[in-house]
Amino acid sequence: MSTPTTANPDLLKPYRDTDASGASLRQISADAFYVVNEIVTKRLGHIPIFKGDFHLLPYKVQRFVAEKAELCRPRGIYICDGSEHEAEEITHKLVERGMLTPLAAYENNYLCRTDPKDVARVESKTWMVTPDKYQTVTHTPEGVEPMMGHWMPPTQFADELDARFPGCMAGRIMYVIPFSMGPLGGPISKIGVQLTDSNYVVLSMRVMTRASHEVLDALGNNDFVRCIHSVGLPRPVRQKVINHWPCNPERVIIAHRPAQREIWSFGSGYGGNSLLGKKCFALRIASNIARDEGWLAEHMLIMGVTRPNGKEHFIAAAFPSACGKTNLAMLEPTLPGWKVRCVGDDIAWMKFGEDGRLYAINPEAGFFGVAPGTSDKTNPMAVATFQKNSIFTNVAETSEGRYYWEGLEDEVKDKNVEITDWLGNPWKLGDPTPAAHPNSRFCAPASQCPIIHPDWESPNGVPIEAIIFGGRRPEGVPLVFETFSWKHGIFTGGCLKSETTAAAEHKGKSVMHDPMAMRPFMGYNFGKYLEHWVHLQKGNHQVPKIYHVNWFRKGQDGKFLWPGYGENIRVIDWIIRRLDGEENIGENTAIGVVPTKGSINLEGLGVVNWDELMSLPPDYWKQDAIEVRKFFEEQVGPDLPPEVRTELDEQEKRIANL
Ligand code: GTP
Ligand code: SPV
Ligand code: MN
């Protein structure tokens, strides 16, 4: 491994250095640049480059890598090129080490088991670092903890970093992953560089983002989002490493500096904690960029729905984590003549075009989907997607080399097949503990989805006509309703609530506020966020109609009242007919326009209790109105935009008359 001593002559020219917000543009002379570059390469001199050519990196990336390498002290640096060969090499190593197990029944599918203490996002340890507290959180009364966003002052952040990152990669390799969120070079796309000491993260980022060497060429002198991730367990390791999964659960921190477009993650290797392109970049950081630039970064799926008449409509939908986005995005319609194609299953970046329509791209390149509940019956398209080149984390495994989880009971042909649960213990059908962790996930390339939309990589995106909000609401909330206006839709999104799921650390099932399905992902003051939405209705902007759905209402017997999954096309049909201007299929209620009896096609469904499914129990809604008022007063308070406050007041009056 050669030790670089001189600077790359190509780089010996003046360059423009912008801070991430573009605020301070300063010029550095060639001389000054030479000095800086000398320092950078000298620093790096002690750390070998295992792969890639450091000198071919754009200068800003060199400086980023060198600084962080100096801080984290890895035993070597590996610059990823995103190639197949690279993935094979890393996979091979992980199989040898026992971190990945090939699932022999498929092509290039692998199982990974984490340390059981590292299985989900950790909301309580996720922070936004801003000089002013109220850039991050709303003004809440004394003693009321803000629910949306966690603020950390910069001074504390510096201490927290100092206590964790120096030397944190000792004995490990620091991988450098250049990646693009969105099609490379697209007008809405953005570039990031993630440093990580987890090779599992490298393999997953390859699937979830467009990670390649071309990203560096496209980057040039432009800025990029800086992502620094460490499992937080330098070698030699003192504690026992479980399942070959290094992590440091007691010391987890996931911190964002939005002004610097920078993400620091320590201690966890799983999901949104470590695949920093996903929630950290594409939601928390991107929502800040979006606010500055006048667009939206949202926790939404994007689907194209073609009706029997051949006309296609694009819809975006925001549901909280583990509430059905992946399933809706890949829905297999039960109604004849309908076709659904998937653009994205988790995140949408949306920007108004010159024609006034709202265009959405999926910034991701893969699906990191909830495994339990996914089957040929519920989501055959997801199943088809992950038959090859996929990583399964914390699922169970059969002796035939297949994956297994709750929901696949009927698909196990040989009932005597041996199953090993996610913890590595023998498990039998009917055992009381779950075979797979409830937040176990598949990680699969979106391009493998049989119904991926032909325009899913269109750099300009697809035009959105409707936005749907929804959550798990076991009682009171009808299957579907249309909101009265853009502003009423924003208010309704702001009221979003859902039963908690295993996607985060919350224990037990309780209905929690999850406004706009963004509570865990809010990148700045929620009141300002609502204001940003409100102000998008201007000029020639054709704002989408906004709907609310609830697949999860339960009857007296505790069972779901609605069959869900592929049958949800019936609700989409109603929504599209409304978009088309069919007035007589809806009736005004206190909370919005609810389907008139019989206006949703239920043909062939068997018994559906329409009245129970669609009713608005007055007692429930009066109680809810009090709670919603309290939520907005306490949690948003003076930051609540007047337009949304008006909606709150008016809905309260309507509900009082129920
Ligand atoms: P994240 O990836 O965490 O953002 O989740 P998601 O919103 O994409 O949720 P997903 O589609 O993975 O669904 C989560 C769980 O809800 C799975 O176990 C599904 O089987 C279940 N689910 C999805 N759609 C429906 C539905 O229409 N009805 C019912 N009853 N369950 C559903
Ligand atoms: C979610 O929790 O909404 C997810 C999974 O999509 S994670 O990437 O872990 O955030
Ligand atoms: Mn999600």
Side-chain angles (χ1 to χ4, degrees):
M1 230 57 50
S2 70
T3 304
T5 47
T6 51
N8 177 355
D10 286 351
L11 293 168
L12 285 176
K13 53 190 175 200
Y15 77 109
R16 284 158 71 80
D17 196 17
T18 56
D19 88 350
S21 65
S24 67
L25 273 169
R26 62 197 158 89
Q27 294 274 347
I28 292 189
S29 70
D31 281 356
F33 171 74
Y34 185 80
V35 172
V36 171
N37 205 33
E38 277 294 277
I39 294 168
V40 162
T41 47
K42 281 223 179 83
R43 278 183 186 170
L44 200 53
H46 308 286
I47 301 171
I49 304 280
F50 288 165
K51 189 181 163 219
D53 190 338
F54 183 74
H55 278 92
L56 293 182
L57 297 176
Y59 172 69
K60 284 186 185 181
V61 180
Q62 288 190 10
R63 196 171 62 172
F64 172 58
V65 172
E67 278 174 12
K68 300 311 176 259
E70 195 191 25
L71 173 69
C72 303
R73 310 301 318 166
R75 71 183 168 88
I77 295 173
Y78 186 115
I79 302 166
C80 299
D81 61 18
S83 65
E84 286 299 325
H85 174 73
E86 180 178 278
E88 278 164 23
E89 198 178 77
I90 297 174
T91 306
H92 182 73
K93 201 168 83 183
L94 293 191
V95 169
E96 265 191 348
R97 200 182 295 164
M99 190 193 205
L100 290 184
T101 312
L103 288 169
Y106 318 90
E107 184 189 333
N108 206 27
N109 274 0
Y110 297 89
L111 166 68
C112 179
R113 292 192 179 95
T114 72
D115 181 322
K117 289 197 287 300
D118 189 19
V119 294
R121 278 183 298 97
V122 196
E123 232 173 287
S124 59
K125 296 180 180 175
T126 302
W127 309 88
M128 301 304 295
V129 182
T130 50
D132 175 15
K133 178 177 178 181
Y134 300 107
Q135 288 176 300
T136 294
V137 293
T138 50
H139 294 76
T140 53
E142 272 292 309
V144 176
E145 263 309 295
M147 193 187 281
M148 274 89 58
H150 286 119
W151 177 65
M152 186 182 279
T155 45
Q156 186 192 344
F157 169 73
D159 292 345
E160 302 283 0
L161 290 197
D162 284 348
R164 288 174 175 80
F165 280 89
C168 69
M169 293 187 186
R172 300 191 187 277
I173 298 174
M174 183 169 93
Y175 295 88
V176 180
I177 313 168
F179 64 97
S180 174
M181 298 308 287
L184 185 57
I188 313 180
S189 304
K190 301 271 179 225
I191 287 174
V193 177
Q194 176 160 345
L195 310 179
T196 180
D197 55 5
S198 158
N199 18 38
Y200 165 88
V201 167
V202 174
L203 292 179
S204 306
M205 284 291 285
R206 275 190 92 248
V207 175
M208 296 307 299
T209 72
R210 293 161 177 91
S212 75
H213 208 76
E214 285 78 66
V215 170
L216 296 170
D217 302 334
L219 184 60
N221 251 345
N222 291 315
D223 234 312
F224 57 93
V225 174
R226 290 160 168 77
C227 310
I228 304 109
H229 168 252
S230 172
V231 294
L233 211 61
R235 292 200 175 103
V237 173
R238 282 188 205 94
Q239 65 229 68
K240 203 172 151 226
V241 175
I242 299 170
N243 289 338
H244 308 277
W245 181 271
C247 61
N248 195 342
E250 287 81 34
R251 312 223 62 212
V252 166
I253 186 171
I254 298 123
H256 309 66
R257 294 209 297 166
Q260 288 76 12
R261 316 295 197 221
E262 195 177 272
I263 303 156
W264 293 80
S265 167
F266 184 96
S268 165
Y270 195 55
N273 298 337
S274 69
L275 313 179
L276 302 186
K278 201 172 176 55
K279 308 300 173 147
C280 297
F281 178 168
L283 292 176
R284 298 191 196 94
I285 295 289
S287 61
N288 278 278
I289 304 176
R291 184 189 174 199
D292 294 348
E293 299 179 353
W295 50 279
L296 292 166
E298 300 297 330
H299 192 203
M300 293 182 182
L301 67 92
I302 309 165
M303 68 197 295
V305 186
T306 310
R307 308 154 78 172
N309 69 7
K311 198 163 167 230
E312 184 170 44
H313 302 266
F314 290 98
I315 297 175
F319 308 155
S321 299
C323 290
K325 287 181 301 300
T326 303
N327 277 270
L328 186 62
M330 295 176 206
L331 171 151
E332 185 150 84
T334 52
L335 292 178
W338 287 77
K339 186 161 79 184
V340 165
R341 291 181 296 185
C342 172
V343 177
D345 81 323
D346 198 51
I347 298 176
W349 285 359
M350 303 190 288
K351 199 173 191 170
F352 283 95
E354 270 166 23
D355 61 0
R357 297 202 285 175
L358 183 62
Y359 287 88
I361 68 161
N362 168 14
E364 302 190 278
F367 306 127
F368 185 64
V370 179
T374 308
S375 69
D376 272 329
K377 237 180 6 232
T378 58
N379 194 346
M381 293 303 129
V383 174
T385 307
F386 55 61
Q387 293 308 298
K388 57 180 182 185
N389 307 322
S390 302
I391 304 169
F392 298 81
T393 306
N394 288 339
V395 305
E397 175 193 10
T398 76
S399 49
E400 295 163 332
R402 295 182 176 278
Y403 49 70
Y404 181 79
W405 49 73
E406 281 49 50
L408 290 178
E409 294 79 0
D410 297 345
E411 286 169 34
V412 176
K413 287 180 196 80
D414 175 4
K415 299 292 173 203
N416 292 320
V417 73
E418 283 167 41
I419 295 176
T420 307
D421 74 7
W422 72 282
L423 293 163
N425 301 321
W427 187 93
K428 285 188 312 300
L429 281 169
D431 276 0
T433 53
H437 186 275
N439 191 41
S440 56
R441 300 218 171 216
F442 55 82
C443 179
S447 59
Q448 290 179 187
C449 178
I451 54 158
I452 197 75
H453 198 284
D455 291 338
W456 84 281
E457 298 197 277
S458 155
N460 295 316
V462 296
I464 300 296
E465 286 178 72
I467 290 175
I468 307 177
F469 290 108
R472 291 176 182 259
R473 299 293 289 272
E475 50 170 337
V477 181
L479 179 65
V480 58
F481 60 91
E482 181 182 298
T483 61
F484 296 124
S485 64
W486 179 246
K487 291 182 187 115
H488 181 238
I490 295 168
F491 164 72
T492 303
C495 292
L496 207 65
K497 297 186 215 180
S498 188
E499 239 176 16
T500 50
T501 65
E505 73 269 38
H506 313 289
K507 297 272 173 290
K509 274 193 180 174
S510 60
V511 175
M512 267 175 92
H513 281 278
D514 194 343
M516 318 295 266
M518 284 286 279
R519 187 200 61 239
F521 314 118
M522 203 63 79
Y524 60 94
N525 181 309
F526 175 58
K528 301 287 174 236
Y529 166 93
L530 289 174
E531 185 179 274
H532 178 57
W533 268 77
V534 168
H535 289 169
L536 286 174
Q537 187 177 35
K538 63 171 182 204
N540 71 342
H541 290 179
Q542 296 165 37
V543 294
K545 276 200 176 179
I546 299 181
Y547 296 82
H548 188 284
V549 299
N550 177 24
W551 315 140
F552 300 94
R553 194 168 186 173
K554 288 180 176 169
Q556 307 291 334
D557 57 1
K559 293 206 175 111
F560 291 123
L561 287 167
W562 179 249
Y565 300 105
E567 306 294 359
N568 292 335
I569 193 68
R570 299 167 188 272
V571 175
I572 301 290
D573 169 32
W574 184 84
I575 288 175
I576 291 177
R577 275 151 58 211
R578 289 290 299 176
L579 289 177
D580 247 9
E582 281 193 38
E583 292 284 336
N584 58 353
I585 59 169
E587 61 190 86
N588 283 8
T589 71
I591 59 168
V593 182
V594 172
T596 51
K597 195 154 185 173
S599 65
I600 290 183
N601 178 356
L602 300 182
E603 218 179 289
L605 254 199
V607 192
V608 171
N609 189 336
W610 180 282
D611 294 330
E612 219 180 332
L613 193 57
M614 299 295 183
S615 70
L616 269 69
D619 288 348
Y620 176 87
W621 282 98
K622 283 176 186 173
Q623 213 39 55
D624 189 76
I626 296 169
E627 199 280 323
V628 162
R629 161 75 59 186
K630 181 164 179 274
F631 166 73
F632 278 107
E633 296 296 0
E634 283 189 351
Q635 286 292 330
V636 205
D639 297 304
L640 188 65
E643 296 87 347
V644 181
R645 181 172 289 279
T646 304
E647 296 298 332
L648 171 67
D649 294 343
E650 287 179 3
Q651 181 133 319
E652 201 172 57
K653 277 185 233 151
R654 289 193 300 266
I655 287 173
N657 290 329
L658 269 177

